[in-house]
Amino acid sequence: MQVILAQPRGFCAGVVRAIEIVERALQKFGAPVYVRHEIVHNRHVVESLKAKGAVFIEELSEAPAGAVTIFSAHGVAKAVEQEAEERGLKVLNATCPLVTKVHIQGKNYLANGRQVILIGHAGHPEILGTMGQIDGPVHLVQTEDDVEQLGLKVDEPVSYVTQTTLSVDETKGIIGKLQNRFTNIVGPDTKDICYATQNRQTSVRGLCERADVLLVVGAPNSSNSNRLREIGEEVGVPSYLLADGSELNPEWVKGANTVGITAGASAPESMVENVIDALRRLGPVDVSVMDGIEETIQFRLPAELIEAAPAA
């Protein structure tokens, strides 16, 4: 069996930064540190950090007053920040800088007198955080049909921002509808959409030209991992999402000469190797990596953690 690995795949710079913030906080302040929501959407990452002393909570009330508390990479609403301050929590913010950039864009558009339209998935932690960061009405749009339901005048000053785990390909149809409907509309340049999401989706499209089956390593609650699987299905390649090798169904790859493997932005490379090991238990495997973009982007850590060594 030929196995081709997508390039790039797996961890993006925002995920690397978020995990490192937790590890360095444990090293500097000692266990426990409290993390609001999953730091990233991956069970293996969460379990690994739990073993080192991180405690994952959904509500700040679960953290003792004054405790070291970390906000996840998805970002939080202002109300959460205010609650943390009122309870005297020592907060380290692991919000991805690209998510923070969306928050700033939305605030600026509102300050300039524009209605803010947010393109994204209802209920996603990033959407909840973004809507809660903007001090005014935010109109959520999930589909092109939703654009027609917006109760805004065609000449009203409007703007749009997007969830970072959506790619240029996913948003262009909605943006086109918005631009056709409104005569006074502004939005960020497409280059502002998350580089990692776009790169991984572009890579999967190329991989699917060569693969008989696509395996996407990622969590079921990971938006970008699910989208990678959907892309495979859209181009006609049987595509499956699995967290690790234990979830591999041999029937998925039965008769396949070439299996393509990618991983969502929150999936560790160790789980990709775990899936390859599961394939090897079915028969001989030859692994290669497709040509693709080498990502070199790094995001700075919070100043108070820069001197702290990562936890072992």
Side-chain angles (χ1 to χ4, degrees):
M1 181 186 296
Q2 298 293 315
V3 171
I4 305 176
L5 302 180
Q7 175 64 33
R9 65 186 180 278
F11 282 176
C12 62
V15 166
V16 170
R17 175 180 180 271
I19 294 169
E20 191 167 356
I21 285 173
V22 179
E23 291 178 335
R24 289 193 180 222
L26 286 165
Q27 181 71 14
K28 181 171 182 176
F29 301 107
V33 299
Y34 293 82
V35 184
R36 185 185 180 277
H37 192 64
E38 292 184 346
I39 187 70
V40 296
H41 283 158
N42 188 276
R43 174 173 54 86
H44 291 284
V45 171
V46 169
E47 292 301 322
S48 172
L49 293 173
K50 277 184 181 177
K52 296 176 182 180
V55 178
F56 289 85
I57 60 177
E58 287 302 314
E59 301 297 336
L60 291 184
S61 59
E62 300 173 54
V68 175
T69 306
I70 299 171
F71 295 155
S72 80
H74 310 98
V76 299
K78 279 186 178 180
V80 176
E81 297 174 338
Q82 291 165 356
E83 182 185 353
E85 186 175 350
E86 290 166 2
R87 300 198 62 242
L89 301 176
K90 179 174 179 54
V91 171
L92 297 168
N93 195 342
T95 300
C96 174
L98 296 179
V99 175
T100 300
K101 186 175 183 179
V102 172
H103 295 172
I104 293 169
Q105 287 169 336
K107 292 174 184 177
N108 288 342
Y109 289 141
L110 185 71
N112 288 325
R114 292 184 176 275
Q115 294 280 346
V116 178
I117 298 167
L118 174 58
I119 302 169
H121 298 145
H124 189 280
E126 182 184 329
I127 290 298
L128 298 175
T130 300
M131 296 181 79
Q133 280 286 334
I134 299 171
D135 292 327
V138 178
H139 307 274
L140 180 63
V141 169
Q142 300 187 78
T143 66
E144 292 183 31
D145 289 342
D146 289 345
V147 175
E148 302 303 323
Q149 307 305 316
L150 289 169
L152 301 170
K153 298 176 183 177
V154 295
D155 59 349
E156 193 160 357
V158 300
S159 62
Y160 64 85
V161 291
T162 71
Q163 182 177 327
T164 63
T165 51
L166 302 180
S167 70
V168 175
D169 293 338
E170 291 172 274
T171 57
K172 65 183 180 183
I174 295 174
I175 291 171
K177 278 262 189 179
L178 289 169
Q179 290 172 336
N180 287 337
R181 178 171 176 190
F182 296 104
T183 59
N184 185 358
I185 183 169
V186 297
D189 192 287
T190 53
K191 70 177 185 293
D192 286 344
I193 289 176
C194 176
Y195 77 94
T197 298
Q198 187 62 45
N199 288 351
R200 279 152 189 72
Q201 292 188 13
T202 300
S203 175
V204 157
R205 292 185 191 281
L207 181 61
C208 285
E209 294 176 2
R210 303 168 59 184
D212 302 314
V213 175
L214 174 68
L215 301 179
V216 179
V217 182
N221 62 336
S222 166
S223 174
N224 70 86
S225 298
N226 276 289
R227 182 59 187 141
L228 293 174
R229 178 190 57 78
E230 290 168 1
I231 288 172
E233 290 183 341
E234 286 169 7
V235 298
V237 176
S239 303
Y240 306 95
L241 179 68
L242 65 173
D244 54 42
S246 70
E247 297 183 358
L248 177 69
N249 183 340
E251 290 298 315
W252 294 347
V253 296
K254 187 175 181 180
N257 294 317
T258 305
V259 175
I261 300 180
T262 189
S266 53
E269 184 65 13
S270 59
M271 291 304 104
V272 174
E273 294 294 336
N274 188 262
V275 170
I276 295 172
D277 289 342
L279 289 171
R280 286 197 172 105
R281 289 192 285 273
L282 302 178
V285 167
D286 181 33
V287 181
S288 61
V289 180
M290 68 182 291
D291 292 335
I293 297 169
E294 293 284 345
E295 294 175 346
T296 58
I297 292 175
Q298 294 180 311
F299 293 136
R300 281 179 61 84
L301 295 168
E304 62 264 53
L305 294 181
I306 289 176
E307 299 304 319

